[in-house]
Amino acid sequence: MIADMKVEDIVGDYQEVSLQLYGSITRKILYTQIETSYPDGKLIVSTTDPAGIITHVNRSFVEMSGYREDELLGAPHSILRHPDMPPVAFKDLWDTVQRGEKWQGFVKNLRKDGGFYWVKATVIPNVRAGKVVGFTSVRRKPSRTKVDECSKLYPTLF
Amino acid sequence: MSFQFTVSPDFTPDHLSGWYIFNTWLQKQTGLAIHLEMYNDFHSQRSAIQANHVDLIYANPFDAAMLVRERGFLPLVKAEGASDEALIVVNAANPVIDVAELQSGTRVAFTEDPDVRLMGMIMLEPADLDNGNIVPISADNYVLVAKQLLKNQADVGIFLAEAYDDLSAMIKSQLKVLVRSQISVIHHALMIGPKLQDQREDIQNLLMSMSADEKGQGVLKNLGFSSWQIVDDEEMEFMIDLMDTLNT
C-alpha cells in the first residue's frame, strides 16, 4: 500500500499533483523545491521483491527519504517517485532489469517532507539458484554536471 | 591430502606472523594438513585460484563474486564488526575542501587493493572523475601513497581507512581528509573451497568458539581482531550484488 502525502509532513511551500504509479495506483503528491544534497561517502541501498515491494533499506535510505523504516518496508519502491521524473525512465529501468541486466541512471527522488534529492542509481536483479528473487538498488552521489544535464533533459521526455 | 590456505595480499604487514600462527592453530584443531601460501600480489593469487590450488582464503570483497560464482567457494566468517572503508585524502596545503572541486587530469595515487580503489573512484565521481580522465599513480603500500601526497607528486590519495588511521600523527598532520566512506557492508571474509566443503560446519564452529578460550583469543589478537562472526550465504550474495552495482 502507498498512502497519499500529508500536508502536515510537508516542509515549505508546496505544489500538488496526482501521480499514476505502476500497478494502477494513483497517489496525491505534495512537493517542494527544496533540495537535500547527497551526503559524501555514503551509499543508499535497498532491496525489493520481484514486484518492486521494499524488503530491505539501509540507514542512509531511511535518513535521506525522511520516512521511518517501518513505513518503507512493505511499500512499493515508487514511494520515492518524483513528479519531475519522466515515466519513460522507469519503463527503461524495469524493461532492463527484467531482462536480467543492470540498469544505471540519474534519478530525482521524492522525500516524505516534499523535498527532493538526486542520486546516481544502479539496479541489478538478485539471481539465486538461477531465479530472479528481487532487485537491489544502490545509489551514490551524482556529479552536479550530470544533475544539471538531467534537469534540462527530463522535462523534454514527457 | 594437503590443502592450501591463502590471505588477500592487502593484509596489514604487522599481521603476517598472525596468519601463520592462525594456520598452525587451524591445523591442530582440524587435524588437516593446511599449507599457508602468501602471494605477493592479487594477480598471482587469482592465477592460483583459477588453477584450483586454493582451498581456503581470507578474501578481498572484490574477489568474492569470482570465488562464489566461478570457483564454488562458500563463506565461513568475517572479523566481527569490521568493514572496509576508503578515504579520499589531499595534502593539507591543498586549497580544495570538496571533492567536487577536483578537475580532470587530477593525479590519483592508490595501491593495488581492488575494493578500496573501487570505493575511492566512486567517491571521485561527484567531480566527474573516472579512470579515463585521471592520471593514475600506483603505489606499493599506503605509506607510499602518503609520500606521493607529501611530495606533491599526487593530488589525491585513496586510502583504506584502517591504513590511514595507522599512519603517524606527524604524517597525518600534513594531510587532509576530504571524504571517508560509510558503507559498512563491504568486508573481507574467510571462504572455503569445494574440496573442504564437507568440513564447513565443523570449521565454522571451531572458528566461532575461538574467542571463548584463552589460546584462541591470543591467536585472534595476532590477527588484529577479537572474534569471528558468521557470514551466511545470503549475506555474501548481498555483498556480491552490491559490489556488482559499484563496479559499473
Side-chain angles (χ1 to χ4, degrees):
Chain A
M1 256 314 286
I2 191 163
D4 285 339
M5 293 178 77
K6 297 189 190 84
V7 175
E8 58 267 32
D9 292 331
I10 307 303
V11 177
D13 296 336
Y14 63 88
Q15 289 167 271
E16 187 176 330
V17 69
S18 200
L19 207 58
Q20 196 65 41
L21 303 176
Y22 180 75
S24 313
I25 305 168
T26 304
R27 188 187 192 203
K28 184 170 83 175
I29 302 285
L30 309 175
Y31 66 107
T32 73
Q33 299 302 324
I34 301 169
E35 178 168 10
T36 300
S37 58
Y38 195 106
D40 282 317
K42 293 193 178 179
L43 295 177
I44 297 174
V45 183
S46 59
T47 304
T48 70
D49 69 12
I53 302 298
I54 299 172
T55 52
H56 163 84
V57 289
N58 73 349
R59 194 186 299 173
S60 299
F61 190 114
V62 174
E63 284 166 7
M64 282 300 277
S65 71
Y67 289 97
R68 295 189 315 270
E69 186 173 351
D70 64 291
E71 291 175 304
L72 293 165
L73 298 178
H77 214 279
S78 53
I79 193 167
L80 301 181
R81 175 81 174 271
H82 195 282
D84 290 351
M85 281 301 295
V88 65
F90 294 104
K91 184 180 183 310
D92 182 47
L93 187 164
W94 278 105
D95 288 350
T96 305
V97 293
Q98 275 167 354
R99 281 199 306 271
E101 295 167 18
K102 198 184 296 188
W103 182 90
Q104 194 161 62
F106 295 88
V107 180
K108 185 177 188 176
N109 279 333
L110 179 67
R111 288 167 53 90
K112 184 182 180 180
D113 65 8
F116 67 91
Y117 57 99
W118 280 93
V119 299
K120 177 179 179 180
T122 310
V123 185
I124 59 159
N126 306 128
V127 182
R128 306 285 184 267
K131 226 178 116 186
V132 174
V133 296
F135 302 99
T136 293
S137 178
V138 178
R139 296 78 159 187
R140 53 218 224 207
K141 186 169 183 166
S143 79
R144 207 63 231 175
T145 326
K146 294 280 192 273
V147 169
D148 291 345
E149 277 172 23
C150 293
S151 300
K152 284 189 192 118
L153 173 69
Y154 289 170
T156 68
L157 300 179
F158 281 87
Chain B
M1 189 177 186
S2 160
F3 301 96
Q4 191 190 108
F5 171 40
T6 185
V7 175
S8 174
D10 59 358
F11 67 87
T12 321
D14 291 353
H15 299 136
L16 176 61
S17 60
W19 286 110
Y20 280 97
I21 296 166
F22 173 71
N23 190 49
T24 305
W25 177 91
L26 193 61
Q27 289 188 87
K28 208 173 268 179
Q29 297 292 321
T30 58
L32 299 169
I34 304 169
H35 164 70
L36 174 58
E37 181 76 40
M38 297 301 250
Y39 294 95
N40 287 331
D41 53 66
F42 282 93
H43 179 74
S44 51
Q45 188 177 73
R46 286 179 193 136
S47 299
I49 295 164
Q50 297 298 336
N52 294 325
H53 291 157
V54 175
D55 304 301
L56 192 65
I57 180 170
Y58 190 65
N60 185 286
F62 195 88
D63 290 331
M66 175 267 288
L67 287 162
V68 171
R69 297 196 175 149
E70 294 170 29
R71 314 309 311 179
F73 276 71
L74 293 173
L76 289 170
V77 288
K78 64 176 177 182
E80 187 165 33
S83 66
D84 293 5
E85 301 290 353
L87 258 64
I88 299 295
V89 178
V90 295
N91 188 306
N94 192 323
V96 168
I97 53 164
D98 184 343
V99 162
E101 297 167 38
L102 297 169
Q103 303 285 325
S104 168
T106 293
R107 297 167 301 168
V108 183
F110 44 72
T111 70
E112 203 200 4
D113 297 2
D115 66 327
V116 175
R117 186 177 167 190
L118 179 65
M119 290 187 275
M121 288 307 295
I122 282 168
M123 291 195 287
L124 293 177
E125 284 181 354
D128 286 314
L129 294 180
D130 56 40
N131 287 321
N133 63 6
I134 60 158
V135 178
I137 297 173
S138 193
D140 282 341
N141 58 56
Y142 291 110
V143 173
L144 294 177
V145 171
K147 277 193 178 155
Q148 298 276 3
L149 293 174
L150 296 180
K151 290 184 185 166
N152 283 316
Q153 287 167 344
D155 305 304
V156 164
I158 298 174
F159 287 83
L160 170 69
E162 200 185 330
Y164 180 82
D165 295 340
D166 283 346
L167 292 174
S168 74
M170 210 258 295
I171 293 180
K172 278 189 281 192
S173 70
Q174 298 171 71
L175 298 172
K176 180 167 62 179
V177 177
L178 293 185
V179 195
R180 179 184 282 260
S181 75
Q182 297 171 68
I183 297 173
S184 309
V185 285
I186 294 176
H187 55 78
H188 281 57
L190 190 61
M191 301 176 72
I192 195 165
K195 275 187 266 171
L196 274 175
Q197 267 161 29
D198 55 344
Q199 317 252 3
R200 185 188 187 197
E201 211 182 313
D202 292 343
I203 295 177
Q204 223 164 20
N205 290 337
L206 280 172
L207 295 167
M208 291 307 293
S209 59
M210 265 183 102
S211 56
D213 79 70
E214 209 176 314
K215 213 167 210 174
Q217 284 168 12
V219 175
L220 288 168
K221 200 177 165 204
N222 282 304
L223 294 175
F225 47 88
S226 57
S227 59
W228 294 108
Q229 191 177 344
I230 297 257
V231 179
D232 64 28
D233 293 350
E234 183 49 37
E235 181 183 347
M236 181 52 69
E237 288 291 344
F238 177 76
M239 188 175 81
I240 290 171
D241 282 344
L242 191 88
M243 292 299 287
D244 195 11
T245 68
L246 299 182
N247 209 0
T248 311

